[in-house]
Amino acid sequence: ERLLQLSEPIDPLAVQPLNQVIHAEAACRIAFMAAEGLGTEPSPVQAWAYATLAEERGSSTAKELTAKLTLDESSKGEARKILETLR
C-alpha cells in the first residue's frame, strides 16, 4: 500500500529552485574562501567563477563580491572557463 497518493507524478524541475538556493550559498562560501585565501593563496579567478555561479543561482551576497573583484581580460577568460566547468 502506498503511503502517499499523488494525482500527478512529481516534476523534478519543480524541486530545482530549492537545490539552486542551497548550491548558491555553498558556491558563495567557496567564492569568499578563494577571495580571502583561507588556507591557501587568494585566487580572484576562482573567486569570480564561484561568485558568478552563486549569483546566477540567486545569491545577492555573491553579487556584491563579484562587483568587488577586478580581473584583467586574460584572468576573466580563465575564470569563464572555470565557470563553464562548474555549471
Side-chain angles (χ1 to χ4, degrees):
E1 179 180 341
R2 296 176 110 185
L3 297 176
L4 178 63
Q5 297 294 325
L6 299 174
S7 59
E8 297 178 22
I10 295 175
D11 179 4
L13 295 178
V15 182
Q16 188 174 6
L18 177 59
N19 291 339
Q20 284 184 352
V21 169
I22 293 168
H23 293 298
E25 290 310 310
C28 186
R29 289 173 193 251
I30 293 169
F32 274 97
M33 290 171 61
E36 295 171 2
L38 297 177
T40 186
E41 291 291 317
S43 175
V45 171
Q46 289 277 341
W48 186 91
Y50 277 99
T52 301
L53 178 67
E55 184 180 344
E56 288 175 358
R57 294 183 176 179
S59 173
S60 59
T61 306
K63 188 174 185 174
E64 293 172 20
L65 177 60
T66 305
K68 290 179 184 177
L69 294 169
T70 55
L71 301 177
D72 61 30
E73 285 306 310
S74 173
S75 296
K76 196 167 261 192
E78 185 182 343
R80 285 186 182 112
K81 288 179 187 177
I82 294 169
L83 177 61
E84 287 303 314
T85 302
L86 295 172
R87 286 183 180 143

